[in-house]
Amino acid sequence: MSHILSIQQLGKTYASGFEALKNVDLDIRRGEIFALLGPNGAGKTTLISIVCGIVNASAGRVLADGHDIAREFRAAREKIGLVPQELLTDAFESVWATVSFSRGLFGKPRDDAHIEKVLRELSLWDKRHEKIMALSGGMKRRVMIAKALSHEPKILFLDEPTAGVDVELRRDMWAMVRRLRDDGVTIILTTHYIEEAEEMADRIGVIHKGELILVEEKAALMAKLGRKQLTLHLQQPLNEVPQGLNGYTLELADDGHALVYTFDTQTEQTGIGALLRRLNELGVDFKSLQSSESSLEDIFVNLVRSRS
């Protein structure tokens, strides 16, 4: 699969000496949904701002669909749409006027049919003549997305796109993201709703303190770093894990009323059968058992903590 965005040795150091990005290398595949995760201040927005031409890099190179964002900035930016965190719109303009104007900023000829299509997909068609200031926060977010799509970009950045929006709008937005991906648009998103990244993304990147510490296929990441747990709810509480179970990764929970066994998701032989037999031999009885598996949020938190 070809790369539509190539980031090479990208760095950003501010006049204060703060190093916001440190030699970031990242290739984004054409037509994928890529989730960039990281705590506040990790460098996500700085990275996006450099690619979109808002912030100048201190070092490195970025190619957008083969165009250098510094030397061929007009051609590069024509390929990119951005939905920023902030709701930046002209409050006194109508929805139709502000979206049409955004298309013109990229040198695109007037195309009323395309603008209508975008507004209909975002449920904005009935509000096309309303002033931005009269819209709700969720509708303003939809207008920001419409502006980003007005010039038919091949790469779309969504920087915290669902922050502060209701559940219905969030679902509508992710349905729209899937349609865009099906139409060949490459999506790069940042989000603090990690369950969204787990559901939507093809690949996951984690950035921390300006460094890209991990890029992995979502399924491979879940298999590699995920954990499974079996919780046995005991008939009688224990004060400590019996000595005869030293070969298992076990810990007590619920004031000794539960025994938790953790095992690797990559291992075909879980050892559960042997553990249950050993418990029976030791006279440890349980009344029920429950299995659980690590979420992407668990993996993300553990990764960041290990680097802090």
Side-chain angles (χ1 to χ4, degrees):
M1 184 181 293
S2 62
H3 297 142
I4 194 168
L5 185 66
S6 181
I7 299 170
Q8 305 163 6
Q9 291 293 293
L10 194 65
K12 176 61 181 178
T13 304
Y14 289 94
S16 64
F18 175 68
E19 195 173 10
L21 292 177
K22 305 171 185 178
N23 300 322
V24 173
D25 287 308
L26 176 62
D27 289 320
I28 304 295
R29 300 166 183 167
R30 192 178 301 273
E32 75 171 333
I33 299 177
F34 184 89
L36 183 63
L37 307 179
N40 290 330
K44 302 186 298 297
T45 299
T46 300
L47 177 61
I48 290 174
S49 296
I50 290 174
V51 175
C52 294
I54 300 170
V55 172
N56 292 325
S58 302
R61 186 185 187 203
V62 179
L63 299 178
D65 202 15
H67 301 285
D68 189 296
I69 63 165
R71 291 182 299 162
E72 303 170 272
F73 63 90
R74 291 188 187 277
R77 290 175 195 174
E78 184 180 321
K79 303 290 184 179
I80 299 170
L82 168 65
V83 181
Q85 294 183 37
E86 300 81 9
L87 295 174
L88 304 174
T89 57
D90 187 337
F92 299 100
E93 283 283 6
S94 69
V95 171
W96 178 272
T98 194
V99 176
S100 298
F101 180 72
S102 291
R103 179 178 176 85
L105 289 175
F106 291 87
K108 292 281 190 175
R110 179 171 174 170
D111 188 339
D112 290 351
H114 175 69
I115 300 300
E116 178 179 343
K117 176 175 178 289
V118 170
L119 295 182
R120 286 189 182 280
E121 286 184 347
L122 291 166
S123 301
L124 288 168
W125 181 245
D126 291 340
K127 299 183 181 294
R128 62 190 181 278
H129 299 308
E130 289 191 27
K131 296 290 190 289
I132 304 295
M133 63 187 299
L135 300 179
S136 67
M139 284 297 175
K140 289 176 182 176
R141 180 71 66 183
R142 292 175 192 252
V143 172
M144 296 299 297
I145 298 173
K147 290 175 65 177
L149 295 174
S150 64
H151 63 287
E152 304 169 74
K154 297 298 183 184
I155 305 166
L156 180 64
F157 282 95
L158 301 173
D159 194 5
E160 299 290 346
T162 58
V165 303
D166 60 39
V167 173
E168 182 179 3
L169 175 55
R170 188 174 299 145
R171 289 174 178 171
D172 289 346
M173 289 176 63
W174 293 127
M176 181 207 67
V177 166
R178 289 189 177 97
R179 289 196 301 271
L180 288 170
R181 194 262 302 275
D182 291 342
D183 290 339
V185 178
T186 301
I187 313 289
I188 300 102
L189 68 96
T190 72
T191 179
H192 285 298
Y193 299 106
I194 298 181
E195 68 274 11
E196 292 182 342
E198 185 171 353
E199 179 183 351
M200 298 292 300
D202 300 305
R203 286 195 301 156
I204 304 290
V206 178
I207 190 169
H208 184 50
K209 295 182 179 179
E211 295 184 84
L212 194 63
I213 61 176
L214 177 144
V215 176
E216 190 76 77
E217 298 282 350
K218 180 181 65 179
L221 175 63
M222 301 291 288
K224 183 188 299 183
L225 299 181
R227 298 185 308 166
K228 288 186 178 179
Q229 290 185 329
L230 182 72
T231 302
L232 298 100
H233 301 281
L234 305 174
Q235 293 281 8
Q236 299 295 329
L238 295 173
N239 294 322
E240 61 181 12
V241 176
Q243 293 296 317
L245 298 172
N246 291 338
Y248 298 92
T249 306
L250 294 165
E251 60 181 344
L252 290 175
D254 192 19
D255 295 325
H257 287 83
L259 192 61
V260 181
Y261 171 46
T262 302
F263 54 96
D264 192 340
T265 59
Q266 288 186 297
T267 304
E268 292 184 7
Q269 300 297 326
T270 64
I272 291 176
L275 171 63
L276 297 181
R277 289 192 294 271
R278 187 61 179 146
L279 286 170
N280 183 60
E281 293 170 0
L282 294 172
V284 179
D285 297 323
F286 60 93
K287 52 188 176 182
S288 64
L289 52 84
Q290 178 183 1
S291 64
S292 61
E293 188 171 355
S294 298
S295 66
L296 180 59
E297 182 170 357
D298 298 326
I299 295 171
F300 168 71
V301 170
N302 290 333
L303 274 171
V304 171
R305 282 179 179 172
S306 69
R307 295 295 185 116
S308 296

